[in-house]
Amino acid sequence: MKILVMGPPGAGKGSQSAKIVKSYNIPSISTGQMFREAYKNNESMGIEAMEYIKNGNLVSDQITNKIVKHRLHRYDTERSFLLDGYPRTVRQAVALDEMLENMGTKLDAVINILSSNDVLFERMENRRVCKKCGATYHLIFKKPSISGVCDLCSGELYQREDDTLESVKRRLEIYETKTKPLLDYYEKKGILYNINGMQPFDNVYADIELVLREL
Ligand code: ADP
Ligand code: ADP
Ligand code: ZN
């Protein structure tokens, strides 16, 4: 199973991807998570990427394609993987197709999670993330048992550098201009599946499962 989870920022890609990789036991490749991890570890790539990220801009296609290519070459991606938040531009999609072709494989499905902008704003304002393990919470819909503390690892919860109002606006604009055209690209390949992301977590997941079960 080789799938890709798409959607505007805040749609629930990370939350749903976490559920999918857990129940199907497949590796997850999240470029946003990889950038945040590299930044946390003081790697030069992470520091460079964070300059773009915190202002709501995309990291360059060159850097992004390079880290994905590197990650896809690890042995664990041979049978299955889930890409979360990559590709985000047509150039990245073309680069990905080339990488997969070289690996003798292709994508089985693109899960596109849809939501209205007011829901997206509300979700990013209330999003909190664990500093230690990256788990995602929501101050109303996915509250940690102890305020400010991760249920899974007791790590500290923080608000992402790019979840400011200005940055969210910019990311939504960029989504419209740079990422949305990709939907056409995958629609034409006949592998695009739209999912209503404005439902409770479990209902969104149930809709995704209906698609995955058919693959
Ligand atoms: P993305 O990876 O697409 O940016 P996240 O999975 O991080 O999105 O979700 C954004 C925020 O919205 C998080 O705080 C998350 O807990 C919350 N969230 C995600 N899906 C739902 C949902 N179906 N209902 C309510 N809140 C949700
Ligand atoms: P969200 O979907 O909530 O915006 P992500 O964790 O997927 O969160 O991405 C966070 C940020 O990391 C993006 O706003 C962007 O700056 C950068 N990023 C992630 N994936 C890519 C990508 N494929 N291409 C360019 N930049 C990316
Ligand atoms: Zn944690």
Side-chain angles (χ1 to χ4, degrees):
M1 186 162 93
K2 285 156 183 155
I3 58 170
L4 155 50
V5 177
M6 279 187 67
K13 299 183 295 296
S15 305
Q16 297 300 332
S17 295
K19 284 192 182 204
I20 299 168
V21 302
K22 198 169 160 203
S23 57
Y24 290 85
N25 193 24
I26 62 176
S28 148
I29 305 176
S30 159
T31 39
Q33 191 86 27
M34 283 157 93
F35 290 135
R36 283 189 290 279
E37 196 64 24
Y39 176 72
K40 189 176 83 183
N41 297 334
N42 244 328
E43 290 168 34
S44 59
M45 182 277 283
I47 295 166
E48 192 185 336
M50 191 51 73
E51 284 304 308
Y52 297 93
I53 295 173
K54 70 174 186 227
N55 296 316
N57 291 313
L58 292 181
V59 179
S60 73
D61 288 334
Q62 201 196 0
I63 295 181
T64 311
N65 287 335
K66 198 168 136 188
I67 63 165
V68 172
K69 191 170 180 183
H70 190 246
R71 179 63 187 85
L72 279 176
H73 276 108
R74 268 176 36 196
Y75 73 94
D76 62 342
T77 57
E78 205 175 310
R79 287 169 56 91
S80 306
F81 59 77
L82 177 153
L83 282 161
D84 163 14
Y86 175 93
R88 265 175 151 98
T89 65
V90 172
R91 274 174 64 183
Q92 290 180 9
V94 172
L96 174 65
D97 279 348
E98 210 178 284
M99 289 175 216
L100 296 178
E101 207 178 301
N102 288 335
M103 291 164 72
T105 186
K106 60 180 175 50
L107 287 175
D108 298 309
V110 175
I111 305 289
N112 180 40
I113 307 179
L114 296 158
S115 184
S116 68
N117 278 7
D118 46 338
V119 170
L120 299 175
F121 273 107
E122 182 279 327
R123 286 196 183 161
M124 284 184 272
E125 189 185 331
N126 290 297
R127 169 159 58 189
R128 295 294 181 273
V129 177
C130 174
K131 246 183 193 158
K132 213 157 124 189
C133 75
T136 301
Y137 295 85
H138 184 286
L139 294 182
I140 301 159
F141 301 119
K142 196 174 186 289
K143 272 169 94 160
S145 313
I146 305 167
S147 167
V149 181
C150 178
D151 289 348
L152 303 176
C153 77
S154 301
E156 186 194 334
L157 303 187
Y158 79 112
Q159 184 164 30
R160 273 168 45 176
E161 287 82 353
D162 57 343
D163 277 348
T164 59
L165 186 61
E166 273 316 300
S167 175
V168 168
K169 278 189 190 154
R170 175 98 190 113
R171 279 148 69 205
L172 288 172
E173 270 170 33
I174 291 182
Y175 173 77
E176 288 292 325
T177 55
K178 301 230 169 114
T179 308
K180 243 188 174 170
L182 279 184
L183 300 180
D184 242 15
Y185 182 86
Y186 289 122
E187 172 92 79
K188 285 195 182 114
K189 288 181 187 276
I191 54 170
L192 183 71
Y193 299 89
N194 290 317
I195 303 287
N196 174 11
M198 293 181 291
Q199 315 177 72
F201 286 98
D202 291 345
N203 299 47
V204 178
Y205 186 69
D207 284 356
I208 293 176
E209 253 206 326
L210 286 178
V211 173
L212 300 183
R213 219 178 286 155
E214 295 298 313
L215 296 180

